[in-house]
Amino acid sequence: MEQPAISDYGYLSDCRSGALVSRTGSIDWWCPDRFDSPSVFCRLLDPDGGGHWRLAPSAVGYPGHRVERSYQPDTLVLRTVHHTPEGSVAVTDALAAEPGARAHDFGLRSPAVLLRVVEGLSGRVPMALDYRPRPEYGLLTPYLRELPDGAVVAVAGPVELVLRCAGLPLRAEHDRVRHTFTVEEGQVLGFDLAYASGYGNPPARLDPVRALADTMLAWRSFREDHRYDGRYPEMVRHSATVLTGLTYARSGAITAASTTSLPERIGIDRNYDYRFCWLRDFAMTMRAFWVAACPTEASRLFEWAARSIGRVGPDPVPVLFGLEGERDVSEHSCPHLRGYHGSGPVRIGNDAWRQRQLDVPGEVISAVWRLRNRLGDQLAAEVRDMVVGLTEQVAATWRLPDRGIWEPRDRERHYLSSKVLCWVAMDRAVRLAPQLGEGADVRRWAAVRDEIRATVLRDGFDERRGVLTGAFGSPELDAAALYLPVVGFLPATDPRMRATIDAVERELGSADGLIRRWDGDPAGFVLCSFWLVECLMLAGERERAARLFDRISGQANDVGLFSEQIDLATGAHLGNTPQALSHIGQVNAAWRLTEPTAE
């Protein structure tokens, strides 16, 4: 089969796991236990061996078939309307909330049930169901057994799945279920697919129609706490909902994306597992949550980070953790999977956790600074120890090379953005000193901060070109320099910074406003593009910033989702999806356009 484009997928979440459903009605990705657990469907990464669940009109892909889809307002419940020559039918998809769960209870005890409700809108529409589970990333072929009530149970290794439809008996065909039926105008059929551990409690049993209504109420209850009064309210509310849907409710961690191994360019091996929580994204995420008026999510994320970091010692803090704070997320590949459009290898785990990345403490301490008013005049002992420990770590290590924020796997360099985040760590620690008690060595910290700044402006500035470069001693530009005005290292109006902004836009940008990270980067990086919006605003170019924001936001797919990158020539989405950093960038840029001085 021909694999759908990445932008063809909608995203479902129960704040425990995520699923992707294509425009043609096929659920091609679901890791039901939690975001980073083994999949039961991964046709996304192998069209033949990955497993899927397709539910759509038989006419999908033939002349006369047309699709319209949208999220139900303020939810991640996806409604797809299929118009066919025989009539129209709607399929509404969701991952179920626990019955009665509301707002921040959503996801704590999610039942791991996929809901699919079919509604006849007009005519008589022939439908086709094709269900082919393949647990553990396609390694397992389950036994399928029919139950007396018309359901089908699939058992393989540690997994048990039960597929049901009230009033429609299902029949197993060896390793799959295929069924055709007709839906008439006004008819409603509810399907549910429930997951459970093979040796735990049995899969939950829900009424799909009732559970779908309850799930929509659960999503909408978030809006009672999340009130945003700035520009672009619909976009911000939607991105905030996506970020909530990427949050692992049990711990408060936010996963960078719901997928693994979707490539930065088709046919190359730059494809990684993003189903973990990066500390680097921490301060940006906290800012986005505050902008979108999500204080509970911000506080829970902070608590997760403090617990995951633990007592700070001499060793670098890992850049990423598992969703419950696991440090060892060692990487391995799945040679039995071909990869998206043949772009292997498929990776599980991410060895970037082993890298030295000097920017991480700056992100964490910056987040403490942002939360300072909520944390009180005297920080809790654990938070004080964490900040002091991270600050001392930066003071001792900032002169070392590292892998930088883009995590290259070749060699370490003296990346400018890493040094700037070291400056951020020392600067915010100095400002936090009154809340840190006796552990704060303000005079020494301020001296280190000033030394870092002087070093960056001396060794990171190319006198010949008049711009700040990506690494000391290198003439190459890096779009990460756009982050400098955002964190307050240099004003956007400073001649050195202004020249750098112009050079990045000219040499790394495109007509659509998308910004590549460096020369040779295969596609525009959505976050960097939104950083440019913020830089233009901080430089006083409000109208141009607003136009750029509109162009970048227009690159989202038809249901408002961003992947990590966008092909400059075709507009195709690339990289893992939905990408938290892309939506974080949109939220923060929208707020910058609302209030230029907001921090």
Side-chain angles (χ1 to χ4, degrees):
M1 60 159 283
E2 182 179 349
Q3 287 189 274
I6 293 171
S7 59
D8 278 351
Y9 285 100
Y11 177 58
L12 313 176
S13 172
D14 57 6
C15 297
R16 164 183 175 168
S17 66
L20 296 183
V21 54
S22 72
R23 288 176 60 86
T24 57
S26 183
I27 295 176
D28 292 344
W29 181 254
W30 187 30
C31 302
D33 195 37
R34 67 182 215 179
F35 292 104
D36 56 350
S37 68
S39 66
V40 296
F41 302 133
C42 66
R43 185 158 70 171
L44 180 72
L45 299 176
D46 192 307
D48 299 319
H52 65 279
W53 179 19
R54 181 176 174 274
L55 179 62
S58 303
V60 163
Y62 291 92
H65 174 253
R66 181 170 56 88
V67 171
E68 298 173 338
R69 61 181 183 167
S70 62
Y71 284 110
Q72 298 296 287
D74 293 329
T75 78
L76 290 182
V77 175
L78 184 65
R79 179 179 170 87
T80 303
V81 178
H82 298 271
H83 300 285
T84 77
E86 294 86 2
S88 297
V89 64
V91 180
T92 304
D93 296 318
L95 279 167
E98 182 188 14
R102 296 293 180 265
H104 305 292
D105 293 332
F106 186 7
L108 297 178
R109 293 169 295 278
S110 292
V113 178
L114 268 168
L115 305 172
R116 311 196 75 176
V117 175
V118 180
E119 179 186 359
L121 303 179
S122 66
R124 299 180 75 254
V125 181
M127 300 288 292
L129 180 151
D130 185 11
Y131 165 69
R132 190 169 180 259
R134 288 293 183 273
E136 204 168 338
Y137 304 110
L139 283 174
L140 294 174
T141 300
Y143 289 100
L144 267 58
R145 178 167 51 89
E146 298 170 4
L147 300 179
D149 64 356
V152 173
V153 61
V155 177
V159 173
E160 182 175 346
L161 295 161
V162 177
L163 176 65
R164 291 186 176 92
C165 178
L168 189 67
L170 302 173
R171 296 289 178 260
E173 300 179 11
H174 183 52
D175 64 348
R176 70 200 306 167
V177 174
R178 285 189 284 204
H179 193 80
T180 58
F181 57 98
T182 299
V183 175
E184 300 183 355
E185 181 176 346
Q187 185 179 6
V188 176
L189 286 172
F191 295 80
D192 65 290
L193 175 63
Y195 159 85
S197 167
Y199 299 97
N201 294 325
R205 183 164 190 172
L206 302 176
D207 178 312
V209 176
R210 183 179 302 171
L212 182 66
D214 203 40
T215 299
M216 286 194 282
L217 289 175
W219 277 111
R220 288 169 179 161
S221 64
F222 280 105
R223 299 276 71 82
E224 297 173 5
D225 295 329
H226 301 174
R227 300 187 182 277
Y228 169 77
D229 298 321
R231 295 183 66 180
Y232 310 99
E234 294 305 316
M235 288 183 185
V236 169
R237 286 163 69 96
H238 181 57
S239 277
T241 300
V242 173
L243 293 174
T244 299
L246 289 168
T247 299
Y248 183 64
R250 297 180 186 179
S251 67
I254 184 167
T255 183
S258 68
T259 57
T260 179
S261 302
L262 294 182
E264 296 178 6
R265 184 171 67 196
I266 303 300
I268 66 173
D269 64 355
R270 289 187 59 85
N271 43 9
Y272 305 108
D273 194 345
Y274 276 16
R275 298 172 298 159
F276 307 105
C277 189
W278 266 253
L279 287 182
R280 163 175 308 112
D281 308 344
F282 193 49
M284 286 182 281
T285 308
M286 296 283 283
R287 181 177 172 224
F289 276 149
W290 279 111
V291 164
C294 307
T296 301
E297 282 90 339
S299 296
R300 293 201 67 222
L301 178 61
F302 178 81
E303 292 166 4
W304 168 86
R307 177 170 177 161
S308 298
I309 291 169
R311 188 179 296 276
V312 178
D315 295 328
V317 174
V319 66
L320 64 104
F321 291 88
L323 299 178
E324 294 183 359
E326 303 91 343
R327 289 201 174 206
D328 188 343
V329 292
S330 296
E331 183 178 302
H332 67 277
S333 62
C334 297
H336 63 284
L337 295 174
R338 291 190 289 170
Y340 180 78
H341 279 281
S343 303
V346 170
R347 293 182 167 100
I348 307 301
N350 196 311
D351 275 344
W353 76 276
R354 304 177 190 274
Q355 293 183 354
R356 178 166 58 210
Q357 298 184 24
L358 298 176
D359 61 299
V360 172
E363 291 286 355
V364 176
I365 298 172
S366 180
V368 177
W369 170 251
R370 187 169 298 283
L371 275 175
R372 63 194 181 279
N373 293 331
R374 289 177 64 91
L375 295 173
D377 294 336
Q378 190 74 12
L379 300 179
E382 294 84 356
V383 177
R384 291 201 310 271
D385 289 347
M386 179 181 72
V387 172
V388 171
L390 291 175
T391 304
E392 293 293 353
Q393 193 175 95
V394 172
T397 62
W398 73 269
R399 294 180 180 84
L400 297 174
D402 76 334
R403 296 298 176 95
I405 71 172
W406 308 131
E407 301 179 351
R409 298 198 172 192
D410 51 0
R411 64 183 179 89
E412 294 182 335
R413 297 173 176 84
H414 291 281
Y415 287 101
L416 180 135
S417 58
S418 296
K419 306 301 185 189
V420 168
L421 264 295
C422 289
W423 173 88
V424 168
M426 304 308 297
D427 179 72
R428 304 311 192 258
V430 168
R431 298 192 199 188
L432 283 167
Q435 294 169 270
L436 295 176
E438 296 180 357
D441 191 343
V442 178
R443 181 173 297 180
R444 181 168 58 85
W445 290 356
V448 174
R449 174 197 62 190
D450 296 343
E451 184 182 1
I452 296 172
R453 178 180 174 84
T455 302
V456 169
L457 294 178
R458 181 188 68 240
D459 297 342
F461 187 71
D462 187 330
E463 293 282 357
R464 183 180 63 83
R465 300 182 66 192
V467 297
L468 293 157
T469 60
F472 291 177
S474 169
E476 296 179 0
L477 289 172
D478 185 339
L482 298 175
Y483 199 37
L484 272 60
V486 176
V487 299
F489 182 82
L490 272 180
T493 52
D494 181 283
R496 294 163 294 187
M497 193 67 239
R498 181 72 243 199
T500 303
I501 295 169
D502 291 343
V504 167
E505 187 175 14
R506 181 177 62 251
E507 298 180 29
L508 301 181
S510 70
D512 291 327
L514 295 167
I515 302 295
R516 295 173 297 145
R517 290 169 292 179
W518 59 78
D519 187 21
D521 195 17
F525 202 82
V526 177
L527 174 65
C528 296
S529 307
F530 282 123
W531 279 349
L532 179 58
V533 172
E534 294 203 58
C535 285
L536 293 177
M537 275 298 296
L538 291 169
E541 297 189 49
R542 177 185 293 268
E543 292 185 6
R544 194 154 78 90
R547 290 196 300 271
L548 179 60
F549 180 89
D550 291 339
R551 289 204 304 274
I552 300 166
S553 296
Q555 298 289 332
N557 75 354
D558 60 315
V559 290
L561 299 179
F562 284 108
S563 63
E564 183 179 31
Q565 294 184 263
I566 296 174
D567 187 279
L568 300 182
T570 66
H573 285 211
L574 294 166
N576 288 304
T577 192
Q579 177 75 209
L581 275 182
S582 300
H583 288 276
I584 287 165
Q586 186 183 47
V587 170
N588 289 335
W591 180 245
R592 187 71 73 181
L593 287 161
T594 300
E595 178 52 73
T597 61
E599 261 303 321

